[in-house]
């Protein structure tokens, strides 16, 4: 069989896929006693994480661990598995564990668990470590770096090592980044024996939230949800132009939501989707690139956005629901645009969809969608208001009613699923002659959605912590994975209840082990990234970075954002998304907020963190080290570099979004005035992204001319940022003298913020002038309202001077200090809505569409005449 034909090099592709899977879940494939150990240890790790996340320790008053102890044990498990599951030299000792690796694994586990084992003793000597403490701390740092190198490669190890060297060699650094330096004793104590370094916030998030979500995804995958999502996507979209590629986008997005790893997503869903795309005519490079683009974007999509999203909760200081709210619109329009890109590629290649066996009429299709939408709406209202009413009436006792209702719904949906044939495993080597039927395919796995409903309900309605929400969703998933087979056997009248229970139990144990082994890389990555965070707090480099970046960017915010994006992409080529996010957000997020404020732009902290998060994820398909592109190329047989380049061209649509929502925070659903404003924002953002996709593909209704592409880009920019042009005509604000602040405060509605320009001397002795946003509570007088915000002012001739700043107040949080001057107050002006700029943009788009449609008609007519 020729190399270009479907099914060629199947053995090689499968071997490559197995290699990537092996790398993702553990580097060694073992047998014998070693395999038993590497089964039992991850199993114990998963059980430990479920225990500390559950309410049981507080009910039985046993096995209660504080956060530091839990982090210590968490890292001990991850370190032990890093040394025992990954060989020292890649490709060697893959079938057995040498004695020295067992020794290193035990030593690393002891060093990591030192804070737990000697917690009471360490508490009696804070800041005064003994020799034993220092030896364990320094040894632990070295072993952690080696564990990181084994599990994740050299990049993160080198970054952490550079920061350690920087901590020690501060006096010898260039003046712009120099500091007084830290002794070896202080370094070891700060990084290992406290909670500001390795055992800091990042490892805490890995311990508390991330493990459970990774485990939740492993349980869903083992239960068959991943295969169900793929089949549903093909049933719904396979009949369209480039249908398999569109289905790949949807299935990869659904799987990416629960996996949290773009590489893992590529090698699981890509094993099926890439060969199917090749079958219908996609070249190997483009088939791999579509999968890469879809898989990398999976981490952007709520409700489960990978480890970095939970870190945002801690770093930004907002709830997880707020993170989801801000991230939802960019994620959705990014996926809609990728489906449209696939459609344009299919149009270029003149592809057709796969024919359905029973092709419904247009009326039947419309009726199906109406029934589906109405059903979803009714279900949503029933769940939200029905169960919400129960909670209002019965309070905490409502769980005793909701629990049985959930159980009945689960059993009913499993019974309903047994009325339809089980989904067959797809064979990528066979020709795709027909699609699975839509109705039966969707109905065979509706019960897989219940754990996601439980998760979202706990997060949004019950307002549980992410840890407790994930625990209950995971426990429900455990129940499903154990019981789905025997319940199906019972309803089908098959005498296989005991066999179904045994298989369900085996699936459960394997899921617990798989989830833990998938956490090894994340566990050591968050711990190692904690070294970077610890260095920032130890050396004060965070204060220096503002001056450094301001010098490089010349104070230009756009240049600084470009600089940050490039840093994220470069680091992300070798660092996991989580570690990359920790490093770049720690160094750059405060700098962007500070310099933005100095330039008169108040940038919400969540926007900056999402900016860093997006570019960290995009690094997975950025040549020359896009790991997801290499994984996809191994399956498609295409060139990895070309696959990465093609994938990145698809992901340019995602790359522009962070720049847009920094300057237009309405894309993050910030500052919307109502439902109409929300609908206009969604419409303009989706339209802008589709237009941008057509521009970057050079094809809309037909191939675009260069001037048409330029106009499409102009329309995109206008739809994303209508205020850019409108502000030139109607300025949104004007600066009034600071002495007029009292008159303006008197007119500001309750709980509305004001923006003021303040200047003075910072804590490090620098003269600073910056804009700050200050929330204004309700009050009887302007002075009273400002005082409630923590600010007391006095007028000194023609200056308004800060006379007092309340401790812990909004004014102190905003960065205002005593004796600063209020230079001006930013007053909003009455003007027509900026959204009016969308109208001329749409008119220009209509003119372009008319021209392209006419040109396509002429081209098709010419082609027909030539054929005749």
């Amino acid at each position: 069989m020729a190399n270009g034909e479907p099914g060629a090099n199947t053995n090689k592709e499968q071997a490559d896929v197995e290699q990537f899977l092996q790398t993702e879940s553990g580097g060694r494939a073992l047998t014998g006693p070693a395999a038993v150990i590497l089964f039992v240890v991850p199993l114990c790790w998963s059980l430990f994480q479920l225990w500390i996340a559950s309410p049981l320790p507080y009910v039985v008053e046993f096995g209660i661990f504080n956060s530091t102890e839990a982090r210590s044990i968490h890292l001990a498990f991850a370190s032990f598995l890093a040394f025992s599951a990954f060989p020292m030299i890649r490709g060697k000792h893959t079938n057995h564990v040498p004695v020295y690796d067992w020794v290193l694994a035990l030593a690393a586990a002891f060093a990591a668990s030192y804070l737990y084992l000697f917690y009471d003793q360490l508490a009696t000597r804070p800041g005064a470590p003994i020799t034993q403490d220092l030896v364990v701390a320094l040894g632990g740092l070295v072993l952690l770096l080696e564990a990181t190198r084994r599990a994740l490669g050299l990049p993160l190890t080198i970054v952490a090592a550079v920061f350690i060297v920087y901590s020690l060699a501060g006096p010898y650094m260039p003046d712009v980044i120099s500091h007084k330096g830290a002794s070896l004793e202080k370094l070891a104590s700060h990084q290992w024996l406290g909670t500001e370094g390795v055992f800091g916030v990042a490892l805490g998030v890995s311990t508390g939230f991330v493990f459970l979500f990774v485990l939740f995804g492993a349980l869903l995958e083992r239960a068959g949800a991943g295969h169900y999502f793929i089949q549903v996507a093909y049933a719904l979209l396979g009949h369209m132009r480039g249908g398999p590629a569109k289905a790949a986008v949807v299935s990869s997005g659904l799987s990416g939501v629960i996996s949290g790893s773009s590489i893992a997503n590529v090698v699981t869903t890509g094993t099926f989707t890439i060969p199917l795309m090749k079958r219908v005519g996609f070249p190997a490079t483009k088939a791999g690139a579509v999968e890469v683009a879809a898989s990398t974007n999976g981490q952007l999509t709520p409700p489960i956005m990978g480890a970095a999203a939970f870190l945002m909760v801690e770093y930004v200081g907002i709830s997880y629901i707020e993170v989801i709210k801000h991230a939802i619109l960019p994620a959705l329009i990014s996926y809609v645009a990728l489906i449209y890109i696939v459609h344009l590629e299919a149009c270029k290649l003149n592809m057709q969809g796969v024919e359905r066996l029973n092709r419904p009429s247009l009326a039947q299709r419309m009726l199906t969608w109406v029934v589906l939408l109405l059903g979803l709406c009714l279900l949503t209202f029933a769940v939200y208001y029905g169960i919400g009413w129960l909670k209002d009436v019965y309070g905490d006792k409502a769980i005793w009613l909701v629990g049985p209702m959930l159980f009945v719904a689960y059993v009913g949906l499993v019974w309903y699923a047994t009325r339809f044939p089980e989904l067959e495993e797809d064979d990528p080597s066979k020709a795709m002659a027909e699609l699975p039927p839509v109705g039966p395919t969707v109905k065979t796995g509706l019960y897989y959605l219940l754990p996601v409903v439980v998760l979202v309900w706990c997060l949004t309605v019950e307002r549980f912590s992410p840890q407790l929400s994930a625990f209950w969703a995971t426990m429900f998933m455990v129940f499903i994975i154990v019981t789905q087979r025997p319940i199906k056997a019972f309803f089908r009248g098959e005498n296989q209840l005991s066999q179904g229970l045994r298989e369900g139990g085996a699936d459960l144990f394997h899921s617990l082990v798989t989830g833990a082994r998938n956490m090894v890389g994340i566990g050591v990555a968050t711990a190692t990234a904690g070294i970077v965070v610890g260095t920032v707090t130890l050396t004060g480099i965070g204060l220096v970075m503002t001056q450094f970046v301001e010098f490089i960017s010349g104070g230009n915010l756009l240049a600084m954002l470009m600089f940050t994006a490039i840093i994220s992409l470069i680091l992300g080529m070798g660092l996991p998304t989580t570690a990359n996010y920790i490093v770049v957000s720690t160094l750059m997020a405060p700098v962007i907020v500070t310099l933005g404020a100095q330039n008169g732009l108040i940038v919400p902290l969540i926007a900056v963190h999402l900016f860093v998060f997006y570019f960290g994820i995009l690094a997975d398909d950025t040549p020359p080290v896009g790991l997801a592109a290499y994984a996809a190329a191994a399956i498609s047989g295409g060139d990895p570099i070309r696959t990465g380049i093609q994938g990145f061209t698809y992901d340019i649509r995602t790359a522009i979004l962070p720049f847009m929502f920094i300057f237009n925070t309405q894309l993050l659903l910030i500052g919307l005035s109502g439902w109409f404003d929300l609908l206009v924002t969604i419409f303009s953002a989706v339209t802008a992204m589709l237009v941008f996709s057509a521009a970057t593909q050079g094809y809309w209704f037909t191939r675009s001319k260069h001037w048409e592409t330029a106009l499409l880009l102009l329309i995109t920019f206008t739809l994303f940022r209508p205020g850019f042009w409108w502000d030139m005509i109607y300025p949104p604000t004007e600066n009034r003298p600071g002495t007029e602040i009292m008159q303006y405060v008197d007119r500001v509605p309750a709980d509305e913020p004001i923006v003021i320009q303040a200047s003075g001397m910072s804590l490090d002795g620098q003269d600073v002038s910056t804009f700050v946003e200050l929330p204004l509570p309700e009050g009887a007088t302007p002075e009273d309202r400002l005082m409630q915000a923590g600010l007391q002012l006095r007028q000194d001739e023609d200056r308004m001077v800060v006379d007092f700043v309340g401790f812990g107040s909004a004014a102190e949080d905003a960065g205002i200090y005593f004796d600063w001057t209020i230079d001006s107050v930013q007053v909003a002006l009455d003007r027509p809505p900026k959204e009016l700029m969308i109208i001329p943009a749409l008119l220009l788009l209509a003119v372009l569409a008319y021209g392209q449609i006419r040109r396509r008609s002429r081209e098709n007519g010419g082609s027909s005449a030539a054929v005749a």
Side-chain angles (χ1 to χ4, degrees), residues 53 66 233 245 268 390 420 444 529 556 695 715 761 809 816 818:
N66 63 37
T268 49
L390 288 174
F420 306 96
T444 54
N556 184 283
I715 293 169
M761 185 173 292
S809 65
I816 301 176
F818 169 73

Side-chain angles (χ1 to χ4, degrees), residues 289-456:
V290 169
E291 178 61 39
V292 166
S295 296
T296 51
N297 278 201
Q299 292 179 74
L300 303 175
T301 310
I304 305 169
M305 299 165 57
F310 302 104
L311 285 163
M312 281 184 211
V313 174
E314 300 295 323
Y315 287 165
V316 182
I318 60 176
S319 68
Y320 189 62
I321 300 304
E322 289 293 307
V323 173
I324 290 175
K325 185 187 85 171
H326 297 314
I328 186 70
L329 181 57
L332 291 181
I333 63 177
S334 183
Y335 263 110
V336 168
L338 183 56
I339 293 175
Y340 188 58
I341 286 173
V342 168
H343 176 75
L344 295 176
E345 290 282 13
C347 290
K348 289 183 198 176
L349 298 170
N350 197 27
M351 292 181 186
Q352 301 299 322
V354 180
E355 192 69 26
R356 281 179 171 168
L357 290 177
N358 299 312
R359 186 175 182 181
S361 65
L362 177 62
Q364 289 174 320
R365 289 201 299 270
M366 292 179 66
L367 180 62
T368 300
W369 281 108
V370 168
V371 171
L372 180 63
L373 290 173
L374 286 176
L376 286 174
C377 292
L378 291 174
L379 179 63
T380 301
F381 278 103
V383 171
Y384 189 85
Y385 290 104
I387 302 180
W389 172 79
L390 288 174
K391 185 168 178 63
D392 291 339
V393 174
Y394 295 101
D396 293 337
K397 295 180 181 178
I399 188 66
W400 300 106
L401 291 173
V402 175
M405 290 169 59
L406 189 64
F407 174 77
V408 170
Y410 165 63
V411 174
L413 288 175
V414 174
W415 166 79
Y416 192 54
T418 59
R419 301 178 61 186
F420 306 96
E422 290 279 355
L423 297 178
E424 296 182 1
E425 290 291 333
D426 184 65
D427 185 356
S429 63
K430 292 182 180 178
M432 189 174 189
E434 60 186 47
L435 295 173
V438 176
T441 303
V442 171
K443 295 167 186 174
T444 54
L446 288 173
Y447 60 92
Y448 288 133
L449 302 179
L450 289 178
V452 180
V453 171
V454 170
L455 173 64
V456 175

Side-chain angles (χ1 to χ4, degrees), residues 9-181:
N9 300 325
T10 303
N11 293 335
K12 177 183 180 302
E13 291 173 5
Q14 189 63 31
D16 288 334
V17 173
E18 289 174 359
Q19 176 63 36
F20 274 103
L21 281 169
Q22 186 179 347
T23 302
E24 191 70 20
S25 60
R28 286 182 168 123
L30 302 173
T31 56
V36 174
I37 293 174
L38 287 191
F39 186 90
V40 172
V41 172
L43 178 63
C44 292
W45 190 10
S46 289
L47 294 175
F48 167 75
Q49 294 290 157
L50 287 171
W51 175 260
I52 63 174
S54 74
L56 280 176
Y58 301 96
V59 174
V60 301
E61 297 183 352
F62 171 78
I64 299 175
F65 300 90
N66 63 37
S67 61
T68 304
E69 291 172 327
R71 294 173 192 181
S72 177
I73 297 172
H74 178 85
L75 182 57
F77 275 114
S79 300
F80 181 88
L81 291 172
F83 281 100
S84 55
F86 293 89
M88 180 179 289
I89 301 173
R90 190 175 295 274
K92 291 191 175 183
H93 305 298
T94 56
N95 297 319
H96 73 284
V97 183
V99 174
Y100 62 80
D101 273 353
W102 289 122
V103 173
L104 291 173
L106 291 172
F110 172 75
S113 59
Y114 189 76
L115 267 69
Y116 167 68
L117 297 173
F118 297 91
Y119 185 81
D120 293 334
Q121 294 92 319
L122 289 169
T124 62
R125 49 176 187 267
I130 61 176
T131 303
Q132 173 184 305
D133 299 338
L134 295 176
V135 170
V136 172
L138 292 173
L141 284 172
V142 173
L143 289 170
L144 177 60
L145 293 178
E146 169 60 12
T148 305
R149 185 195 67 81
R150 292 187 180 209
L152 302 167
L154 278 173
L156 180 56
T157 310
I158 293 173
V159 169
V162 167
F163 275 84
I164 289 175
V165 171
Y166 174 74
S167 299
L168 298 171
Y172 310 104
M173 292 289 167
D175 289 342
V176 69
I177 57 171
S178 65
H179 62 95
K180 66 180 181 178

Side-chain angles (χ1 to χ4, degrees), residues 184-265:
L184 204 59
E185 176 180 326
K186 186 174 182 180
L187 171 72
S189 177
H190 186 84
Q191 294 284 13
W192 198 268
L193 302 177
T195 56
E196 293 189 66
V198 170
F199 297 95
V201 172
L203 187 62
V205 170
S206 177
T207 305
F209 310 152
V210 179
F211 190 103
L212 290 177
F213 280 91
V214 171
L215 181 59
F216 180 67
L219 288 163
L220 269 174
E221 186 64 36
R222 185 78 183 191
H227 179 59
Y228 170 72
F229 289 151
I230 292 174
Q231 293 298 312
V232 168
Y234 280 108
L236 291 172
L237 302 173
H239 66 286
M240 300 179 180
R241 281 178 177 262
K246 293 174 182 174
V249 173
V250 174
S251 60
S252 295
L254 292 172
S255 299
V257 164
I258 62 174
S259 82
S261 168
S262 55
I263 303 171
N265 198 6

